Amino acid sequence: MIDDLDLGFDEPERGEKGRHRRSFRNKRKKGSGGGRGKTFLALFMALVLLGVIGGGAFYGFDRIQNYFVTPDYDGAGSGEITVEIKNGALLADMADALVAADVVKSQKAFIEAAAANSRSKNIQPGTYKLRKQMSGASAVTAMLDLKNKIVNGLTIPEGRTSKNIYKMLSDKTKIPVKEFEAAAKDPEALGVPDWWFKRDDGKKVVKSVEGFLYPDTYEIPPKATAESILKLMVDNFLSVTGEMKFADRVQKERKVSPYEGLIVASLAQAEAGNKDDLGKVARVAYNRAYGEFPCSCLEMDVTVNYYLESIGKPTKSSKQMTAAELDDPKNPYNRKLSGMIPTPINNPGKRALEGAMDTPVGRWLYFVAIDKQGHSAFAETYAQHQRNEARAREAGII
């Protein structure tokens, strides 16, 4: 058997003229099919080699192809899923949310489809009812169709207290007010950074969510909790004030802590009868608490009303307030206490925040409404203020 498998060359033989010649030696028996076996073996090895090379080439091509071809699903998808697009989300943020929910196959698929659709800029924050494994183009089209947007909006007006906001949210969501109150006990757990609760006036810090529930229109997501809703509002506050550079500018230009600036914004929101006067009212608050006002106190009745609401009593107009209510020594928001009050007294809007940050120059200490549009007249002295009050009485305002 060994001889039968021995393939090789004969030893050189010398020919008639002394030249060496080689002869191929095949010791298989004649007619044994040796030639066919050799051919089969060569063919088999060639096929194996081509298979390895071909498979590797195919694998490499497939890998390279993925760099140039956008991974995308086909068609309009199937099933149903809800996806929340948060306030301030960019196209990349939207794409990330859709990929995480398996609505689209890749971020690139959604972004390219949005770039190809001129209406994609109209996609708004909110909660959408979509399908799984949609093409990028189908997802964009679906999000532009208002039928697919779950509308559960609630508008929080400027200047509402947290207590009032909890009631509004409860009426809308049927989540008990107590759950909102419980969630609000830890403002930092809702996302308020601890540096917000620092004061430069030496007064004790009172950590409250008041002032941080930014007034806006909110889409309440399905299955939302009291905590998740308040976090959404706090996050909106941080986004707005961050874009405004509120904290930096208040410290640099007003020389007070951001928290004190927020308190002033809430005072302006409550006291100004017209948006045009928000900055001037804020200036009066700064001048009274930190300036030359005789008592260095605010003497604003709105602080008394905030306290009354916080203890469950009805708010009153200035004329209705008794002397005991105006100057209650137990009231930490007493209008005659020196300096700035402990916390904001409501949740101010952007214009009020701007007024507290970018206040007009003036030494005003007094103001009074003088027309039915809510505009006020401002004065530096009490004598000037009395003349403005006379104008207000003539106009039937006071």
Side-chain angles (χ1 to χ4, degrees):
M1 293 299 295
I2 294 176
D3 287 343
D4 288 342
L5 293 175
D6 185 15
L7 298 176
F9 295 96
D10 284 331
E11 291 297 325
E13 295 180 2
R14 193 172 298 275
E16 293 178 354
K17 295 184 180 180
R19 291 176 301 175
H20 289 90
R21 64 177 174 85
R22 271 188 168 177
S23 63
F24 183 74
R25 177 169 53 88
N26 181 355
K27 293 191 176 181
R28 286 189 180 273
K29 294 180 180 179
K30 189 175 181 179
S32 65
R36 287 195 300 272
K38 181 182 68 172
T39 303
F40 173 79
L41 180 61
L43 179 61
F44 175 76
M45 293 301 294
L47 289 173
V48 169
L49 182 61
L50 287 173
V52 170
I53 295 173
F58 178 81
Y59 176 74
F61 174 77
D62 187 55
R63 295 256 318 192
I64 293 169
Q65 185 183 39
N66 284 336
Y67 287 104
F68 299 98
V69 178
T70 300
D72 199 1
Y73 291 125
D74 292 326
S78 61
E80 188 174 292
I81 190 169
T82 58
V83 179
E84 180 188 358
I85 302 300
K86 295 183 177 180
N87 285 327
L90 303 175
L91 277 177
D93 301 319
M94 296 181 191
D96 286 341
L98 296 173
V99 170
D102 195 28
V103 172
V104 297
K105 193 170 187 179
S106 67
Q107 185 192 66
K108 189 178 179 183
F110 179 77
I111 291 176
E112 287 183 353
N117 191 323
S118 61
R119 293 181 58 237
S120 63
K121 61 185 178 183
N122 296 325
I123 297 176
Q124 300 294 317
T127 303
Y128 291 85
K129 185 168 57 177
L130 302 170
R131 295 181 176 182
K132 283 198 169 188
Q133 300 189 355
M134 307 177 75
S135 68
S138 295
V140 170
T141 301
M143 294 175 75
L144 288 169
D145 188 345
L146 294 180
K147 294 178 182 177
N148 294 318
K149 189 175 182 184
I150 300 173
V151 179
N152 191 24
L154 174 64
T155 299
I156 304 297
E158 298 171 344
R160 294 296 179 94
T161 64
S162 295
K163 193 177 184 72
N164 186 269
I165 290 174
Y166 302 153
K167 179 66 167 57
M168 293 179 67
L169 291 171
S170 179
D171 290 344
K172 179 69 176 180
T173 64
K174 308 308 176 186
I175 298 172
V177 168
K178 289 183 178 179
E179 293 190 22
F180 288 102
E181 292 174 339
K185 286 182 178 179
D186 187 353
E188 291 180 23
L190 295 175
V192 181
D194 61 352
W195 58 262
W196 267 99
F197 297 111
K198 297 184 187 301
R199 302 182 65 136
D200 295 337
D201 59 359
K203 289 203 169 188
K204 181 181 177 180
V205 174
V206 178
K207 293 185 178 183
S208 169
V209 78
E210 196 76 74
F212 296 100
L213 303 180
Y214 189 73
D216 204 343
T217 298
Y218 292 91
E219 290 288 336
I220 309 298
K223 299 180 181 180
T225 64
E227 184 179 11
S228 68
I229 294 171
L230 296 186
K231 280 184 175 180
L232 181 67
M233 299 179 75
V234 168
D235 184 63
N236 198 11
F237 169 87
L238 296 175
S239 295
V240 171
T241 54
E243 290 173 3
M244 295 170 60
K245 301 188 183 302
F246 179 85
D248 292 337
R249 290 191 60 187
V250 164
Q251 290 178 98
K252 182 178 180 180
E253 299 171 28
R254 302 283 73 80
K255 308 302 182 185
V256 299
S257 69
Y259 194 56
E260 292 164 76
L262 180 59
I263 293 172
V264 169
S266 74
L267 292 168
Q269 188 75 73
E271 284 281 8
N274 189 286
K275 290 182 178 180
D276 296 337
D277 292 334
L278 285 165
K280 287 186 174 182
V281 174
R283 172 60 71 178
V284 170
Y286 284 126
N287 290 346
R288 287 187 180 183
Y290 306 116
E292 301 173 359
F293 204 50
C295 65
S296 293
C297 59
L298 289 169
E299 275 204 346
M300 293 182 177
D301 296 346
V302 290
T303 65
V304 177
N305 264 329
Y306 180 71
Y307 175 67
L308 292 175
E309 183 180 346
S310 70
I311 61 176
K313 291 187 177 182
T315 58
K316 299 180 179 182
S317 66
S318 299
K319 291 181 179 179
Q320 294 172 325
M321 289 181 185
T322 65
E325 288 171 333
L326 285 170
D327 300 313
D328 181 359
K330 295 180 181 179
N331 177 5
Y333 296 85
N334 190 314
R335 67 190 193 126
K336 286 192 177 296
L337 288 178
S338 178
M340 195 56 67
I341 54 178
T343 70
I345 60 170
N346 58 48
N347 295 275
K350 188 174 183 179
R351 289 284 294 272
L353 290 165
E354 288 172 341
M357 176 184 71
D358 189 17
T359 57
V361 177
R363 299 179 64 184
W364 309 295
L365 294 172
Y366 307 92
F367 62 95
V368 62
I370 56 171
D371 62 31
K372 293 182 180 180
Q373 287 72 45
H375 292 99
S376 293
F378 293 79
E380 294 182 13
T381 68
Y382 188 62
Q384 291 174 340
H385 180 58
Q386 286 180 309
R387 290 193 289 272
N388 289 335
E389 285 185 319
R391 290 173 57 193
R393 278 190 289 271
E394 289 176 9
I397 305 302
I398 61 173

